[in-house]
């Protein structure tokens, strides 16, 4: 994406922009300046730039249902109006039947957070999850904040690992981000001394990530916290994300004073503070994929504005909420899908309905082009900003899934996905093919090809084309039969695999350290080239066969212009990406020079030959 021109009123931001626009990490002091500045225009533009680089025009939302099973709580946190004692007139306990009645087949994500009930058994919490899983197998379950996990651990004398494992076995797929409040000893002592602190919150999320449970993170802002405490909080989230990569989304929660015990000191947050919180979160949390605008606490209008201040994730339909509303929130307790769509469209964005793991389910917009967010695809997208097409970053395997549902007009399809959907797609004369080595489809191994017989190979979940190429090389070229297994989404150690296949930016990043474990690295495109003396076509451009003539010619023109410009400007395109991938600009340019972006006779011959090899593989396997 082209760097926007920003006129800075606050000159301190100029230096920060230099870092942001070259993917350099921001420091504590930068964060402090960003919170201090009143140059909203520049702050918003910087955050929006990062948002666009990461997520294009997409804004994710889910058809979700909040469930707060009880408000009877052993705690008395000063900022909370939700938790009450058992005999309070507002006290309630939902039965499992009542919980199930809140759900239906349309809901795609259930979000469960609540109070720490003094009498419920751990089994009861597990039963809630199991009942939802049994009755609604399609619904993603995001349940129990670190506060609850910590309570189960202490009260029922179970290790954190055991608590998480039992919940995971019952059906929990992710943890909500609540309970983080502000990572500050001072605030902990002042507002919630009985509850877990920063160290325990971070440790629970670390354990969850290592056990394959992703999570969200939050900050509760707008009460007694200082700017320093806000920045410190964000940096601690960033540093855990560096370790595990397990955070999906970061959600700033605007404090609702209600009749809480800190009411005398606090006013509701202003719209400007809400937008600033979103923007600074986007800028500091360079490694967290999504920033969520939580309309329940910030209002619908501010949440919609936040979609141009760094947020690419909008809280969903919700279907009822109490924590914020008990503390005086004046927002609705639920929204219809139409209202969500209009909040996103008003912001000029593409509404993308998602599942619990942020896989797109439906794209509520025409003219959407799938964009593989890897460095090698950048030259295709240099001239799209001025076109009528909207870009949606997608991992390769999602391209086919969405095109099949007619949710995408066109895109750069992984070869296998194109071959699968050939009858409904029209190929365009552009592709992504290697000349010899590709440098970013790599098998990291401790064994030579022939020694991989019977060995376990972990493969990326992001695509099937490279996995198919690997299978062809193993069985057809080397006559080797290995066990191929999908790698889990959050992998922290590869030591129990004999070899691992990674693709795209992930492969480029790990090329130097060989994942810290493997001695050999095989380039799959080079293996193909050595064998067939042909390039390998990883992906090709195609458009829905049902597209109009106007759409086809507009896309061809935009692609032509983009590639012409892209091919002549590798150096310009590399600045940002090289920094982000921690490779030199020269390496980045050499990498792009290894690709061919146009479909020619040799590319067509290679596709035919690959199809023939796949048939041979199928014969061998049967
Ligand atoms: O931890 C309590 C906050 C959180 C107040 O993961 C208050 O997608 C404002 O977990 N004013 C629970 N906030 C909510 C939560 C959550 C919310 C949205 C999205 C996600 C997600 C998770 O609510 C608590 C606390 O920080 N809270 N009282 C109050 N008066």
């Amino acid at each position: 994406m082209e760097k926007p021109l920003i006129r800075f009123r606050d000159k301190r931001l100029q230096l920060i922009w230099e870092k942001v626009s070259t993917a350099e990490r921001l420091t504590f002091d930068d964060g402090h300046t960003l919170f201090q500045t009143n140059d909203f225009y520049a702050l918003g533009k910087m955050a929006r730039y990062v948002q666009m680089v990461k997520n294009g025009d997409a804004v994710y939302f889910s058809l979700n249902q909040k469930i707060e099973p009880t408000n009877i709580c052993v705690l008395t946190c000063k900022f909370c109006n939700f938790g009450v004692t058992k005999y309070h007139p507002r006290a309630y306990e939902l039965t499992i039947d009542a919980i199930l009645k809140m759900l239906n087949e349309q809901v795609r994500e259930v979000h469960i957070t609540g109070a720490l009930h003094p009498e419920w058994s751990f089994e009861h919490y597990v039963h809630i999850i199991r009942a939802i899983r049994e009755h609604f197998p399609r619904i993603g379950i995001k349940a129990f904040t670190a506060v609850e996990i910590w309570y189960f651990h202490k009260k029922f004398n179970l290790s954190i690992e055991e608590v998480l494992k039992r919940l995971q076995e019952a059906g929990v797929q992710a943890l909500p981000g609540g309970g983080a409040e502000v990572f500050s000893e001072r605030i902990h002592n002042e507002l919630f001394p009985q509850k877990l602190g920063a160290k325990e919150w971070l440790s629970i999320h670390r354990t969850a990530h290592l056990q394959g449970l992703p999570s969200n993170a939050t900050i509760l802002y707008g009460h007694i916290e200082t700017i320093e405490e806000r920045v410190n909080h964000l940096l601690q989230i960033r540093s855990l994300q560096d370790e595990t990569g397990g955070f999906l989304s970061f959600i700033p929660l605007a404090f609702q004073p209600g009749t809480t015990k800190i009411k005398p000191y606090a006013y509701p947050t202003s719209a400007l503070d809400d937008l600033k919180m979103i923007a600074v979160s986007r800028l500091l949390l360079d490694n967290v994929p999504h920033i969520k605008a939580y309309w329940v606490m910030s209002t619908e209008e501010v949440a919609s504005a936040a979609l141009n201040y760094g947020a690419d994730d909008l809280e969903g339909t919700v279907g009822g909420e109490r924590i914020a509303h008990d503390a005086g929130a004046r927002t609705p307790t639920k929204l219809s899908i139409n209202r969500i769509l209009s909040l996103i469209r008003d912001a000029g964005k593409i509404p993308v309905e998602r599942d619990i793991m942020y896989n797109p389910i439906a794209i509520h917009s025409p003219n959407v082009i799938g964009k593989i967010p890897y460095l090698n695809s950048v030259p295709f997208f240099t001239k799209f900003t001025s076109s009528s097409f909207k870009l949606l970053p997608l991992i390769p395997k999602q391209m086919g899934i969405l095109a099949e549902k007619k949710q995408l007009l066109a895109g750069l399809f992984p070869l296998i996905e194109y071959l699968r959907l050939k009858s409904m797609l029209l190929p365009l004369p552009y592709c992504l093919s290697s000349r010899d080595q590709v440098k970013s489809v790599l098998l990291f191994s401790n064994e030579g090809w022939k020694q991989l017989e019977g060995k376990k190979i972990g493969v990326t979940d992001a695509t099937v084309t490279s996995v198919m190429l690997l299978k062809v090389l193993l069985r057809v070229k080397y006559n080797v039969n290995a066990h191929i297994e999908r790698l889990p989404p959050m992998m922290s150690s590869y030591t129990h695999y004999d070899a691992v296949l990674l693709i795209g930016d992930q492969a480029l990043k790990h090329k130097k350290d060989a994942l810290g474990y493997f001695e050999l690295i095989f380039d799959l495109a080079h293996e193909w080239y050595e064998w067939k003396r042909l390039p390998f076509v990883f992906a090709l451009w195609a458009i829905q066969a049902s597209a109009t003539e106007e759409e086809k010619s507009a896309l061809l023109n935009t692609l032509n212009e983009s590639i012409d410009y892209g091919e002549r400007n590798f150096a310009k395109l590399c600045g940002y990406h090289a920094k982000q991938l921690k490779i030199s600009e020269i390496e980045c340019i050499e990498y792009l020079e290894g690709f061919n972006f146009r479909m020619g006779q040799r590319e067509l011959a290679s596709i035919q030959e690959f199809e023939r090899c796949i048939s041979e593989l199928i014969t061998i396997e049967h």
Side-chain angles (χ1 to χ4, degrees):
M1 164 162 172
E2 244 168 83
K3 249 169 79 169
L5 184 71
I6 307 180
R7 281 181 223 294
F8 291 96
R9 273 198 298 119
D10 180 345
K11 296 294 171 216
R12 295 174 305 168
L13 300 193
Q14 187 101 46
L15 288 175
I16 297 181
W17 176 229
E18 278 185 7
K19 291 188 183 177
V20 171
S21 61
T22 54
E24 193 177 325
R25 190 157 255 201
L26 300 187
T27 62
F28 180 93
D29 288 345
D30 296 330
H32 197 271
T33 306
L34 291 171
F35 273 123
Q36 261 189 344
T37 190
N38 285 322
D39 192 350
F40 267 97
Y41 164 81
L43 176 64
K45 275 214 138 180
M46 292 196 289
R48 185 171 182 277
Y49 172 75
V50 177
Q51 169 195 353
M52 295 289 289
V53 168
K54 284 191 184 293
N55 292 297
D57 288 314
V59 167
Y60 292 87
F61 73 95
S62 73
L63 300 181
N64 64 346
Q65 174 69 49
K66 281 212 182 226
I67 295 178
E68 289 132 345
T70 180
N71 62 350
I72 302 176
C73 195
V74 297
L75 298 177
T76 49
C77 303
K78 278 194 187 159
F79 57 79
C80 181
N81 258 167
F82 172 70
V84 292
T85 57
K86 192 171 173 182
Y87 302 103
H88 192 281
R90 261 198 305 114
Y92 73 85
E93 298 170 64
L94 298 180
T95 61
I96 295 187
D97 262 2
I99 290 176
L100 292 176
K101 284 207 180 90
M102 294 168 79
L103 298 171
N104 60 60
E105 288 300 331
Q106 270 67 55
V107 173
R108 294 309 293 259
E109 178 183 289
V110 60
H111 167 119
I112 312 176
T113 48
L116 308 183
H117 196 290
E119 286 152 22
W120 283 4
S121 65
F122 182 52
E123 281 316 312
H124 181 69
Y125 288 95
V126 174
H127 277 154
I128 295 178
I129 303 297
R130 207 171 287 132
I132 296 176
R133 176 51 68 245
E134 274 166 22
H135 286 80
F136 298 98
R138 261 166 40 106
I139 296 184
I141 306 180
K142 174 166 59 125
F144 304 130
T145 65
V147 181
E148 288 140 304
I149 306 291
W150 182 252
Y151 181 60
F152 302 152
H153 152 67
K154 287 284 182 204
K155 181 159 179 178
F156 306 111
N157 204 14
L158 296 165
S159 68
I160 299 289
E161 285 82 357
E162 185 64 19
V163 170
L164 292 171
K165 188 166 145 253
R166 300 227 344 236
L167 291 171
Q168 206 171 2
E169 279 165 4
V172 168
Q173 288 159 280
L175 302 187
E181 322 314 359
V182 186
F183 298 148
S184 143
E185 209 38 51
R186 179 185 77 87
I187 296 180
H188 184 229
N189 292 338
E190 174 106 357
L191 301 185
F192 53 99
Q194 311 142 299
K195 210 164 82 173
L196 86 178
K199 196 166 132 246
E200 293 81 18
W201 191 97
L202 291 163
S203 152
I204 288 169
H205 282 257
R206 179 181 293 108
T207 310
H209 298 171
L210 295 180
Q211 287 185 209
L213 273 176
S215 67
N216 290 337
T218 57
I219 182 170
L220 177 66
Y221 69 97
H223 44 92
I224 61 164
E225 84 287 0
T226 61
I227 287 185
E228 288 78 5
E229 284 164 337
R230 284 185 184 187
V231 178
N232 190 33
H233 184 98
L234 291 169
L235 295 191
Q236 292 199 54
I237 298 285
R238 185 172 82 180
S239 127
L240 180 54
Q241 180 74 339
D242 276 344
E243 250 182 76
T244 65
F247 288 120
L248 295 168
S249 192
F250 181 75
I251 309 133
L253 302 175
F255 175 58
Q256 312 293 307
T259 54
T260 62
K261 296 197 184 71
I262 41 175
K263 182 174 162 43
Y265 317 108
Y267 300 97
T269 56
S270 69
L272 288 186
D273 201 20
D274 294 334
L275 293 177
K276 195 180 249 185
M277 193 68 225
I278 291 278
V280 182
S281 304
R282 180 62 290 164
L283 290 165
L284 284 187
L285 298 176
D286 52 16
N287 53 2
V288 175
H290 305 286
I291 303 291
K292 188 188 275 186
Y294 191 53
W295 57 261
V296 175
M297 291 180 187
S298 71
T299 76
E300 294 151 83
E301 292 74 15
V302 171
S304 183
L307 305 181
N308 277 299
Y309 269 80
D312 67 288
D313 187 8
L314 180 65
E315 179 59 61
T317 43
V318 172
E321 195 279 345
R322 295 187 201 233
I323 298 177
H325 290 91
D326 282 353
R330 299 225 177 96
T331 52
T333 58
K334 56 181 161 186
L335 290 183
S336 67
I337 177 165
N338 283 337
R339 179 67 177 142
I340 298 271
L341 294 179
S342 73
L343 291 176
I344 299 176
R345 289 188 181 130
D346 285 353
K349 302 286 172 181
I350 311 171
V352 180
E353 201 177 318
R354 62 166 177 85
D355 68 11
I356 189 167
M357 296 301 165
Y358 286 78
N359 295 309
I361 300 170
I363 301 165
H364 295 264
S365 171
N367 273 358
V368 173
I369 308 270
K371 175 184 173 189
I372 298 179
Y374 299 152
L375 169 60
N376 53 27
S377 312
V378 169
F380 290 119
F381 295 101
T382 55
K383 295 286 168 192
F384 271 81
T385 8
S386 48
S387 77
S388 59
F389 300 109
K390 295 175 194 138
L391 299 179
L392 176 65
L394 292 170
I395 58 167
K397 73 164 184 193
Q398 286 167 348
M399 298 276 307
I401 300 174
L402 290 167
E404 193 172 13
K405 293 198 266 177
K406 296 255 179 198
Q407 299 285 317
L408 283 183
L409 175 68
L412 177 63
F413 289 87
L415 179 58
I416 295 289
E417 294 295 284
Y418 168 76
L419 294 174
R420 186 169 71 82
L421 302 174
K422 225 167 160 176
S423 61
M424 59 184 283
L425 295 176
L426 191 79
L428 302 174
Y430 301 105
C431 69
L432 187 68
S433 77
S434 56
R435 294 188 200 279
D436 173 352
Q437 293 186 4
V438 63
K439 296 184 182 154
S440 59
V441 179
L442 303 177
L443 184 71
F444 296 86
S445 177
N446 277 327
E447 312 283 352
W449 285 96
K450 287 282 186 189
Q451 282 71 50
L452 282 169
E453 178 70 34
K455 296 282 162 71
K456 195 159 90 171
I457 306 183
V459 297
T460 168
D461 190 31
T463 176
V464 282
T465 301
S466 302
V467 175
M468 187 59 88
L469 175 58
L470 175 67
K471 286 183 184 170
V472 162
L473 291 170
L474 283 166
R475 292 303 301 265
V476 187
K477 182 176 178 189
Y478 289 107
N479 192 19
V480 162
N481 195 2
H483 300 294
I484 294 192
E485 260 179 33
R486 290 265 169 215
L487 291 165
M490 280 172 304
M491 197 67 208
S492 60
S493 154
Y494 295 96
T495 48
H496 48 288
Y497 293 96
D498 299 297
V500 166
L501 173 71
L502 296 184
I503 66 158
D505 292 358
Q506 214 189 358
L508 275 178
K509 253 191 210 164
H510 286 296
K511 204 171 168 180
K512 279 203 197 90
D513 61 14
L515 295 173
Y517 174 68
F518 298 103
E519 281 165 18
L520 304 171
I521 301 179
F522 298 110
D523 184 309
L524 297 203
H526 175 66
E527 288 290 330
W528 174 259
Y529 181 78
E530 242 190 357
W531 186 27
K532 303 287 177 189
R533 292 286 146 198
L534 285 172
F536 188 80
V537 180
F538 285 95
L540 69 159
W541 273 89
I543 187 167
Q544 295 279 355
S546 55
T548 63
E549 284 309 315
E550 267 174 13
E551 286 167 336
K552 285 177 209 163
S553 72
L555 180 58
L556 275 173
N557 285 341
T558 314
L559 272 174
N560 231 332
E561 265 184 55
S562 285
I563 296 165
D564 269 357
Y565 177 86
E567 280 181 329
R568 281 184 283 110
N569 288 285
F570 285 159
K572 256 195 193 163
L573 305 181
C574 276
Y576 186 88
H577 294 273
K579 265 260 174 59
Q580 210 182 26
L581 293 169
K582 299 190 175 71
I583 57 175
S584 72
E585 239 173 273
I586 302 283
E587 274 176 290
C588 184
I589 294 170
E590 278 173 7
Y591 172 63
L592 287 181
E593 280 171 354
F595 288 96
N596 176 23
F597 301 97
R598 295 166 200 274
M599 188 70 86
Q601 287 310 316
R602 284 169 55 71
E603 281 71 28
L604 290 171
S606 174
I607 295 177
Q608 258 187 10
E609 182 55 20
F610 189 51
E611 283 191 272
R612 202 195 54 72
C613 287
I614 295 173
S615 310
E616 207 177 320
L617 172 71
I618 294 170
T619 317
I620 298 173
E621 288 195 329
H622 284 91

